[in-house]
Amino acid sequence: MSLAQDYRKAMSQAGTPQFQEVIRQELEYSMKVELDKILATAPQNELEHTKKDLEGFKKLFHRFLQEKGPSVDWGKIQRPPEDSIQPYEKIRARGLPVNITSVLNKLVVVKLNGGLGTSMGCKGPKSLIGVRNENTFLDLTVQQIEHLNKTYNTDVPLVLMNSFNTDEDTKKILQKYSHSRVKIYTFNQSRYPRINKESLLPIAKDVSYSGENTEAWYPPGHGDIYSSFYNSGLLDTLIGEGKEYIFVSNIDNLGATVDLYILNHLMNPPNGKCCEFVMEVTNKTRADVKGGTLTQYDNKLRLVEIAQVPKAHVDEFKSVSKFKIFNTNNLWISLPAIKRLQEQNAIDMEIIVNPKTLDGGLNVIQLETAVGAAVKSFENSLGINVPRSRFLPVKTTSDLLLVMSNLYSLNAGSLTMSEKREFPTVPLVKLGSSFTKVQDYLSRFESIPDMLELDHLTVSGDVTFGKNVALKVCMRMRLTWVK
């Protein structure tokens, strides 16, 4: 029997606590031996960075071995106190200060830029996919911040958290923004080794991530932002420049723009108490039932994800009537608080165990964390229930069709719902498998249809759209040609 098999047996009811601890220690020692071998292959110029990555991975692996079963006790979950989730209207009603420029000068915009466009059939960083008038996600982000800086004569920088998958291509494209009025910084999230599911040991044999080692490494989720930001030295640099808050969001969420009212609430708290962490939440619809929700747990705000919920309570978790909001992953976080908690090793995030099957059929696991899970580690954390318009992610070509259509108008990099749309909600669009890849999707539209009066669209089969098509109310299509 292998050590990993011993571990699984020990962690079942069959193992005594002493036996479990012995097996855990042996697994950790075996992991350390393998990681030391990998570290020994690092070139001198990568040694320090690789060492920090592997140290971070060891800590995560240690916690993984310690944890068992669902990470939340369902009986402890409570509705958050009313004042812990504020309606956006209340925040907005406070208005804006006269000195909005000085408030903005304390802000940094951080975009999570570690993902590839593979799910949409594209190579390279997802942020470089064209989404509107040939503008990419990154183009729109830079335009938004440049408009802010010009309008208020301020200096809000953009920080991109890249991964080893996206860093090189992103840095090449950044040259095009050299004359824009936005300072752009980058740092890389960690690179962790994938673990063989059977042996619980890394599949990587050296530090390279090309050739045979391409699939041996992974970026460990956006929860890695705290340690990577700190380790990069950029956190200290920005604090030294007088920056106080970061606004963090996914780069593919086109609704995640800087909100001056939320920023003012942070910089000028009504009760005088500094709020270290704000999570933007919005009301759930049937499409969002799997989204993480804010709860009260052990007298702290806590983000609960569906993967943490005991199986017997999953349906309850999905209930829109009981859990009415979900996390948009638009977060406002205090820079000094990140520094303090990082130096105290006090940022607590649940581990997400992500199983994968590699191209050759090997089953591996990735240990990841989510940035929002740290909400419970910060002081005076707050949820703000924002309009749905601040959550406009583009995950599929169905989403892409919405943002490319006349449902939205584009101004200074920001998308806003057209005033001609009579309904406040976005149509539900489901494009079939023939539209999955961006290239195929684009080839099936001679022009983007008029969707102002559309409520629901389902397309399946070999469907193409001609010019000047108007889609209205509820439509299901299985045709070969639509005019």
mmCIF file of all heavy atoms in Angstrom, residues 458-463 476-480:
data_model
loop_
_atom_site.group_PDB
_atom_site.id
_atom_site.type_symbol
_atom_site.label_atom_id
_atom_site.label_comp_id
_atom_site.label_asym_id
_atom_site.label_seq_id
_atom_site.Cartn_x
_atom_site.Cartn_y
_atom_site.Cartn_z
ATOM 1 N N THR A 458 -32.516 30.983 -27.652
ATOM 2 C CA THR A 458 -31.834 29.697 -27.640
ATOM 3 C C THR A 458 -31.544 29.295 -29.080
ATOM 4 O O THR A 458 -32.459 29.267 -29.912
ATOM 5 C CB THR A 458 -32.690 28.596 -26.959
ATOM 6 O OG1 THR A 458 -32.969 28.989 -25.622
ATOM 7 C CG2 THR A 458 -31.946 27.262 -26.939
ATOM 8 N N VAL A 459 -30.288 29.012 -29.389
ATOM 9 C CA VAL A 459 -29.893 28.622 -30.745
ATOM 10 C C VAL A 459 -29.190 27.275 -30.681
ATOM 11 O O VAL A 459 -28.264 27.090 -29.890
ATOM 12 C CB VAL A 459 -28.939 29.658 -31.375
ATOM 13 C CG1 VAL A 459 -28.591 29.254 -32.808
ATOM 14 C CG2 VAL A 459 -29.552 31.048 -31.358
ATOM 15 N N SER A 460 -29.622 26.330 -31.496
ATOM 16 C CA SER A 460 -28.930 25.043 -31.571
ATOM 17 C C SER A 460 -28.854 24.607 -33.027
ATOM 18 O O SER A 460 -29.683 24.989 -33.853
ATOM 19 C CB SER A 460 -29.648 23.985 -30.728
ATOM 20 O OG SER A 460 -30.987 23.845 -31.133
ATOM 21 N N GLY A 461 -27.828 23.829 -33.340
ATOM 22 C CA GLY A 461 -27.668 23.385 -34.723
ATOM 23 C C GLY A 461 -26.850 24.353 -35.551
ATOM 24 O O GLY A 461 -26.260 25.303 -35.057
ATOM 25 N N ASP A 462 -26.869 24.136 -36.854
ATOM 26 C CA ASP A 462 -26.036 24.879 -37.808
ATOM 27 C C ASP A 462 -26.757 26.151 -38.247
ATOM 28 O O ASP A 462 -27.271 26.245 -39.363
ATOM 29 C CB ASP A 462 -25.738 23.965 -39.000
ATOM 30 C CG ASP A 462 -24.779 24.606 -39.986
ATOM 31 O OD1 ASP A 462 -24.115 25.589 -39.604
ATOM 32 O OD2 ASP A 462 -24.712 24.135 -41.135
ATOM 33 N N VAL A 463 -26.805 27.143 -37.357
ATOM 34 C CA VAL A 463 -27.543 28.379 -37.605
ATOM 35 C C VAL A 463 -26.575 29.503 -37.960
ATOM 36 O O VAL A 463 -25.533 29.666 -37.335
ATOM 37 C CB VAL A 463 -28.369 28.793 -36.365
ATOM 38 C CG1 VAL A 463 -29.107 30.104 -36.620
ATOM 39 C CG2 VAL A 463 -29.351 27.702 -35.993
ATOM 40 N N ARG A 476 -36.450 30.587 -30.360
ATOM 41 C CA ARG A 476 -35.674 29.346 -30.392
ATOM 42 C C ARG A 476 -35.373 29.052 -31.858
ATOM 43 O O ARG A 476 -36.268 29.073 -32.684
ATOM 44 C CB ARG A 476 -36.447 28.170 -29.782
ATOM 45 C CG ARG A 476 -36.668 28.313 -28.294
ATOM 46 C CD ARG A 476 -37.484 27.160 -27.735
ATOM 47 N NE ARG A 476 -37.720 27.335 -26.318
ATOM 48 C CZ ARG A 476 -36.909 26.932 -25.366
ATOM 49 N NH1 ARG A 476 -35.784 26.303 -25.698
ATOM 50 N NH2 ARG A 476 -37.174 27.120 -24.098
ATOM 51 N N MET A 477 -34.112 28.749 -32.150
ATOM 52 C CA MET A 477 -33.727 28.595 -33.553
ATOM 53 C C MET A 477 -33.013 27.281 -33.807
ATOM 54 O O MET A 477 -32.053 26.947 -33.113
ATOM 55 C CB MET A 477 -32.818 29.749 -33.978
ATOM 56 C CG MET A 477 -33.518 31.090 -33.927
ATOM 57 S SD MET A 477 -32.465 32.416 -34.479
ATOM 58 C CE MET A 477 -33.591 33.786 -34.316
ATOM 59 N N ARG A 478 -33.494 26.564 -34.820
ATOM 60 C CA ARG A 478 -32.812 25.359 -35.287
ATOM 61 C C ARG A 478 -32.665 25.445 -36.807
ATOM 62 O O ARG A 478 -32.570 24.443 -37.478
ATOM 63 C CB ARG A 478 -33.600 24.098 -34.914
ATOM 64 C CG ARG A 478 -33.654 23.833 -33.418
ATOM 65 C CD ARG A 478 -34.470 22.590 -33.124
ATOM 66 N NE ARG A 478 -34.564 22.337 -31.721
ATOM 67 C CZ ARG A 478 -33.672 21.657 -31.007
ATOM 68 N NH1 ARG A 478 -32.608 21.161 -31.605
ATOM 69 N NH2 ARG A 478 -33.844 21.463 -29.718
ATOM 70 N N LEU A 479 -32.697 26.633 -37.329
ATOM 71 C CA LEU A 479 -32.688 26.820 -38.771
ATOM 72 C C LEU A 479 -31.272 26.779 -39.323
ATOM 73 O O LEU A 479 -30.300 26.840 -38.586
ATOM 74 C CB LEU A 479 -33.332 28.174 -39.111
ATOM 75 C CG LEU A 479 -34.719 28.433 -38.514
ATOM 76 C CD1 LEU A 479 -35.164 29.839 -38.823
ATOM 77 C CD2 LEU A 479 -35.745 27.434 -39.054
ATOM 78 N N THR A 480 -31.134 26.681 -40.617
ATOM 79 C CA THR A 480 -29.826 26.723 -41.244
ATOM 80 C C THR A 480 -29.487 28.110 -41.727
ATOM 81 O O THR A 480 -28.364 28.438 -42.012
ATOM 82 C CB THR A 480 -29.754 25.742 -42.436
ATOM 83 O OG1 THR A 480 -30.817 26.064 -43.337
ATOM 84 C CG2 THR A 480 -29.876 24.323 -41.955
#
